[in-house]
């Protein structure tokens, strides 16, 4: 069976770098993007099982990524991370059928656990 | 001296002058009356003398002795008349002339008496009688004539004095009222100038006005008011700064979360991957941690700098650096609203002599206003460039917000004027205005409803000599 593919979108480069290193350790194939446009373009050519996206980004933001992914690729799980820890954002994300919502600073173990659960469902 | 007192005194002086003139005129009238009364008496006497002389002539022509008796009776009645109005005559012509007149009359009377008793007729007597009669008449005529002339002179000189007094009183009244009104106008101008400058946010004292009048009291009151305003403005600036600090802190807390998360993720990955990391990777991880820590330190420092109490402390500064520092403070607020920011800072601008934190405060205010005026997705344009006047630098903050209605534009720098409803204190722009004015700069606004608003701040460039004479003064101290 193919490796699970995970996409990480965050304008903080370190988030992508660290997530990639940790997740590849678990045997996932990981691609990172600093903003949403090239990430959404990449989704058109390649199926990803999980998209981990930052909530607040310049240009297309996390909510829009969530909406697009849910509409175009309903089988793909979206996990949102945010530095902007407000309740409204979390509620909005949950309504948009987000799988999980992590405020920064992110616990990588929890993130991995969340991804694992999401992949078990499918 | 109080203006009221001055007016009263000048009126008293003028009034006294008028009374004096009136008294003088009254005295002259009395004198004229006395003289006229004498002239009347003199006319009677003259008439008597004329009658005497006519009788004299009859005597010479017809040697009628009855004529002499007639003259005698006439003389007696004349003497009686004179003694009856003696006081009046003395008052009019003096005792000397009266004595002379009486002497002449007595001489004439003696001659008439001699002629009558001797009952002789010779040419000598005739000529003596004639001579004495003529002298008497002449003297009386000359006195009468003199008195008439005096009356005339008195009336003429009174007239002249009255005319002169009229002009003198008029002139003095005009001069005094001109002097007083000049003084009032001068003080009022100073007050006008001062209130104007206060309304522009400069709280200077009026100097060089040491009057103790009512206007002096007003000036003292305005001076103490302007001191109070300067003091209040300082408090307002500080409280306004604390208010913006509240907004900024929320943003900054979030701003710190990102580097904090980065450090945390590096640490977690480091721990998890430790065995798989090479020497080079480990070093790289640690240097990243260090860089992220530095990011946090900068954010915290900016915030601390911003909250420093206001003590205008101008120094030479590059406005572009100040703008960049301000942007780190407000970046999050801009991002949350998903606002696209364009920053165009011109290179090689002249340095400014400014209080960096105060100017930062102004920029934070302008950016906050811009962001609040825009719905998410607007565009914010921040630029620096050389000012239109060669010796200045212009900073503009432009938004694509809802704009300010033209009727509000003249008021937006007024204290407590706010269009933000309950959200705004109405102090941000007035405080900014005060700060820019203190820097001898200008702040302008252009706005179009539905298109957006541009605030432009113009600040004078740094001149070396300013360092010593301190262009910017913290006038509260």
């Amino acid at each position: 069976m193919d490796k699970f593919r995970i996409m990480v979108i965050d304008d903080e480069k370190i988030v992508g770098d660290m997530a990639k290193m940790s997740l590849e350790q678990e045997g996932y194939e990981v691609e990172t993007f600093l903003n949403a446009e090239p990430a959404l373009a990449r989704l058109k050519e390649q199926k990803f099982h999980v998209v981990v996206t930052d909530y607040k980004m310049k240009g297309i933001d996390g909510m829009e990524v969530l909406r697009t992914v849910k509409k175009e690729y309903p089988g793909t799980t979206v996990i949102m991370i945010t530095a902007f820890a407000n309740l409204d954002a979390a509620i909005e994300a949950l309504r948009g059928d987000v799988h999980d919502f992590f405020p920064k600073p992110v616990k990588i173990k929890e993130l991995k656990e969340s991804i694992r659960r999401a992949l078990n469902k499918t | 001296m109080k203006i009221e007192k001055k007016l009263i005194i000048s009126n008293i002086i003028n009034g006294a002058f008028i009374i004096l003139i009136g008294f003088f005129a009254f005295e002259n009238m009395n004198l004229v009356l006395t003289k006229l009364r004498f002239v009347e008496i003199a006319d009677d006497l003259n008439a008597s003398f004329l009658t005497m002389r006519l009788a004299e002539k009859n005597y010479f022509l017809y040697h009628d002795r009855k004529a002499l008796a007639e003259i005698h009776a006439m003389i007696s009645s004349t003497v009686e008349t004179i003694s009856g109005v003696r006081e009046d005559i003395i008052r009019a012509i003096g005792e000397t002339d009266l004595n002379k007149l009486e002497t002449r009359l007595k001489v004439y009377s003696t001659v008439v008496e001699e002629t009558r008793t001797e009952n002789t007729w010779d040419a000598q007597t005739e000529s003596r009688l004639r001579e004495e009669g003529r002298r008497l008449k002449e003297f009386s005529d000359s006195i009468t004539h003199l008195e008439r002339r005096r009356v005339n002179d008195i009336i003429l000189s009174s007239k002249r004095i009255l005319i002169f007094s009229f002009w003198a009183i008029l002139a003095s009244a005009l001069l005094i009222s001109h002097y007083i009104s000049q003084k009032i106008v001068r003080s009022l101008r100073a007050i006008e100038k001062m209130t104007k400058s206060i309304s522009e946010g400069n709280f200077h004292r009026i100097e060089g006005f040491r009057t103790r009048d009512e206007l002096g009291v007003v000036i003292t009151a305005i001076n103490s008011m302007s001191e109070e305003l300067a003091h209040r403005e300082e408090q307002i600036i500080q409280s306004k700064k604390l208010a913006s600090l509240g907004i900024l802190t929320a943003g900054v807390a979030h701003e710190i979360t990102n580097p904090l998360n980065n450090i945390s993720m590096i640490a977690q990955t480091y721990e998890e991957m430790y065995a798989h990391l090479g020497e080079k990777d480990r070093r790289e991880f640690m240097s990243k941690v260090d860089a992220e820590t530095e990011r946090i330190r900068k954010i915290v420092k900016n915030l601390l700098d911003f909250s420093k109490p206001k003590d205008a402390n101008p120094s030479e500064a590059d406005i572009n650096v100040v703008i960049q520092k301000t942007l780190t403070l407000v970046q999050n607020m801009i991002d949350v609203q998903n606002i696209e920011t364009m920053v165009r800072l011109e290179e090689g601008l002249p340095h400014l002599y400014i209080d960096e934190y105060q100017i930062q405060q102004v920029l934070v205010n302008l950016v906050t206003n811009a962001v609040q005026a825009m719905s998410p997705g607007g565009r914010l344009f921040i630029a620096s460039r050389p000012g239109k006047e060669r010796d200045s630098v212009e900073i503009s903050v432009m938004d694509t917000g809802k704009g300010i209605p033209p009727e509000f534009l003249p008021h937006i720098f007024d204290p407590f004027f706010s269009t933000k409803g309950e959200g705004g204190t109405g102090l941000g722009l007035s405080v900014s205005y005060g700060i820019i004015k203190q820097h001898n700069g200008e702040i302008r606004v252009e706005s179009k409803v539905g298109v957006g608003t541009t605030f432009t701040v113009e600040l004078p460039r740094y001149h070396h000599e300013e360092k010593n004479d301190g262009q910017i003064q913290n006038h509260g101290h």
Side-chain angles (χ1 to χ4, degrees):
Chain A
M1 176 183 162
D2 270 357
K3 279 180 175 180
F4 287 117
R5 290 179 186 278
I6 297 172
M7 176 184 275
V8 180
I9 316 168
D10 195 313
D11 49 13
E12 293 282 333
K13 188 173 180 295
I14 289 173
V15 172
D17 290 350
M18 295 299 130
K20 186 178 165 78
M21 210 175 258
S22 276
L23 293 174
E24 277 176 350
Q25 188 69 18
E26 301 292 313
Y28 303 126
E29 201 162 293
V30 182
E31 283 183 35
T32 64
F33 295 88
L34 287 172
N35 45 63
E37 284 90 346
L40 290 178
R42 176 72 180 134
L43 277 175
K44 283 185 181 153
E45 0 170 302
Q46 177 66 56
K47 179 187 159 64
F48 283 81
H49 298 89
V50 178
V51 172
V52 178
T53 178
D54 193 13
Y55 174 75
K56 189 200 64 145
M57 289 179 294
K58 280 181 187 165
I60 298 172
D61 69 2
M63 276 312 299
E64 209 173 322
V65 171
L66 171 63
R67 276 193 290 270
T68 310
V69 170
K70 282 290 146 191
K71 193 174 149 213
E72 310 279 336
Y73 322 99
T76 301
T77 301
V78 178
I79 293 172
M80 187 99 61
I81 55 175
T82 179
F84 197 68
N86 78 13
L87 199 60
D88 292 346
I91 291 169
E92 193 189 355
L94 287 173
R95 284 213 181 108
D97 198 19
V98 74
H99 172 71
D100 219 339
F101 192 91
F102 289 100
K104 285 180 179 178
V106 177
K107 295 286 165 214
I108 296 175
K109 276 182 188 149
E110 289 173 19
L111 179 65
K112 281 181 182 168
E113 183 54 40
S114 181
I115 291 171
R116 202 172 297 130
R117 269 189 282 115
L119 293 174
N120 281 343
K121 266 194 216 167
T122 48
Chain B
M1 203 196 289
K2 291 201 165 189
I3 292 168
E4 193 189 353
K5 242 186 194 168
K6 276 181 190 162
L7 283 172
I8 288 172
I9 286 177
S10 81
N11 279 341
I12 286 175
I13 291 174
N14 269 341
F17 201 35
I18 289 167
I19 289 169
L20 205 72
I21 300 294
F23 185 71
F24 172 77
F26 182 74
E27 277 300 292
N28 273 351
M29 289 297 167
N30 273 344
L31 193 58
V32 167
L33 271 181
T34 317
K35 299 266 179 193
L36 280 178
R37 176 145 169 66
F38 168 74
V39 170
E40 213 174 282
I41 294 163
D43 279 345
D44 285 351
L45 290 178
N46 276 345
S48 304
F49 294 149
L50 203 62
T51 319
M52 284 177 208
R53 296 225 60 198
L54 274 174
E56 191 186 298
K57 204 177 261 170
N58 281 341
Y59 173 67
F60 290 133
L61 282 175
Y62 311 112
H63 296 282
D64 184 359
R65 298 196 60 82
K66 267 202 305 198
L68 285 179
E70 209 174 300
I71 293 172
H72 180 74
M74 200 68 80
I75 289 171
S76 302
S77 88
T78 304
V79 167
E80 215 167 285
T81 310
I82 287 174
S83 74
V85 292
R86 205 181 152 76
E87 288 308 304
D88 287 339
I89 297 172
I90 289 173
R91 230 181 288 143
I93 60 171
E95 213 161 0
T96 330
D97 279 351
L98 178 62
N99 285 343
K100 273 186 195 165
L101 184 70
E102 279 175 332
T103 314
R104 290 246 163 269
L105 196 57
K106 210 173 262 169
V107 171
Y108 184 60
S109 164
T110 315
V111 175
V112 172
E113 211 50 36
E114 274 171 16
T115 316
R116 209 164 66 143
T117 49
E118 282 166 18
N119 202 11
T120 51
W121 177 255
D122 54 39
Q124 200 197 344
T125 313
E126 188 191 322
S127 89
R128 258 190 84 198
L129 188 62
R130 213 189 279 271
E131 179 60 20
E132 285 307 320
R134 191 183 56 83
R135 278 190 185 174
L136 181 65
K137 181 70 172 65
E138 259 178 23
F139 186 71
S140 152
D141 277 349
S142 81
I143 289 174
T144 314
H145 183 69
L146 190 68
E147 288 311 305
R148 276 193 209 281
R149 242 182 49 201
R150 273 189 195 161
V151 168
N152 207 37
D153 285 352
I154 290 167
I155 289 173
L156 268 181
S157 78
S158 295
K159 201 173 125 189
R160 251 181 252 130
I161 285 170
L162 282 176
I163 288 170
F164 172 78
S165 316
F166 169 76
W167 289 115
I169 290 170
L170 194 70
S172 95
L174 284 179
L175 275 177
I176 289 170
S177 57
H178 180 73
Y179 165 75
I180 291 174
S181 68
Q182 270 308 93
K183 242 180 107 80
I184 294 173
V185 165
R186 212 153 53 96
S187 309
L188 286 179
R189 288 239 172 87
I191 292 171
E192 186 197 358
K193 213 170 126 193
M194 188 199 194
T195 48
K196 211 171 180 182
S197 109
I198 288 175
S199 70
E200 283 169 358
N202 304 316
F203 307 124
H204 304 302
R205 295 179 64 89
I206 298 184
E207 299 293 352
F209 263 90
R210 303 208 173 275
T211 53
R212 284 197 191 166
D213 55 26
E214 290 87 339
L215 290 168
V217 174
V218 174
I219 289 169
T220 310
I222 290 181
N223 275 340
S224 74
M225 180 190 83
S226 102
E227 266 166 37
E228 187 60 23
L229 279 176
H231 180 63
R232 290 278 166 84
E233 194 205 38
E234 242 175 87
Q235 290 179 335
I236 288 173
I237 288 178
Q238 186 58 22
S239 69
K240 177 62 199 167
K241 193 153 67 178
L242 290 177
S244 8
L245 199 59
I247 300 170
L248 290 179
T249 309
V252 166
H254 166 256
E255 199 69 25
I256 287 173
T257 309
N258 271 323
L260 211 59
N261 178 61
N262 289 341
I263 292 169
S264 166
M265 284 185 83
I266 291 166
Q268 292 174 64
T269 313
Y270 186 83
E271 193 189 359
E272 193 189 317
M273 306 280 297
Y274 185 78
H276 306 277
L277 292 174
E279 172 85 14
K280 197 176 152 244
D281 289 334
R282 288 176 196 167
R283 280 183 193 285
E284 200 183 303
F285 270 44
M286 288 307 111
S287 88
K288 274 179 182 162
V289 167
D290 194 37
E292 292 301 300
T293 316
E294 181 61 19
R295 246 177 97 182
I296 294 174
R297 195 189 64 79
K298 266 189 188 159
I299 293 164
V300 171
K301 184 176 181 297
N302 271 346
L303 192 66
L304 281 179
D305 284 349
F306 184 78
S307 66
K308 266 185 192 167
K310 176 221 164 192
D311 241 344
N313 183 20
S315 58
E316 192 180 351
D318 179 349
I319 192 66
N320 289 346
V321 173
V322 177
I323 293 174
Q324 292 289 10
K325 278 187 187 171
T326 310
L327 282 174
T328 65
L329 287 171
V330 293
Q331 193 61 54
N332 179 65
M333 178 170 56
I334 294 169
D335 292 345
V336 167
Q337 293 294 318
N338 201 17
I339 282 162
E340 193 186 330
T341 320
M342 285 185 287
V343 182
R344 188 178 298 157
L345 306 178
E346 206 157 297
E347 296 286 323
L349 290 173
H351 279 190
L352 306 176
Y353 190 62
I354 53 173
D355 182 306
E356 216 176 286
Y357 304 121
Q358 287 190 349
I359 298 300
Q360 264 194 49
Q361 195 186 343
V362 171
L363 294 175
V364 166
N365 281 338
L366 295 183
V367 171
T368 309
N369 280 344
V371 169
Q372 285 170 350
M374 290 187 279
S375 41
R379 276 196 294 179
L380 178 69
F381 185 73
I382 298 170
S384 66
R385 69 182 88 84
K388 286 189 192 81
E389 287 176 38
R390 208 163 38 81
D391 261 13
S392 63
V393 169
E394 251 182 32
I395 307 118
S396 57
V397 176
M398 193 173 99
D399 66 51
T400 56
K402 48 184 181 282
I404 304 165
E407 66 266 29
F408 291 164
L409 276 179
H411 302 293
I412 56 163
F413 295 112
D414 294 351
F416 305 110
F417 181 84
S418 176
T419 54
K420 292 183 211 155
E422 284 175 15
T425 57
L427 288 175
L429 283 174
S430 88
V431 167
S432 301
Y433 183 87
I435 291 173
I436 297 304
K437 278 282 162 187
Q438 265 188 64
H439 282 77
N440 297 319
E442 291 285 332
I443 180 164
R444 293 186 294 271
V445 61
E446 284 164 62
S447 188
K448 218 168 192 182
V449 173
V451 178
T453 305
T454 307
F455 279 94
T456 306
V457 171
E458 191 168 346
L459 290 167
R461 67 172 292 170
Y462 172 71
H463 290 289
H464 285 271
E465 63 270 24
E466 276 177 342
K467 220 172 198 170
N468 298 322
D469 62 13
Q471 272 276 317
I472 304 163
Q473 283 154 1
N474 189 8
H475 46 240
H477 295 280

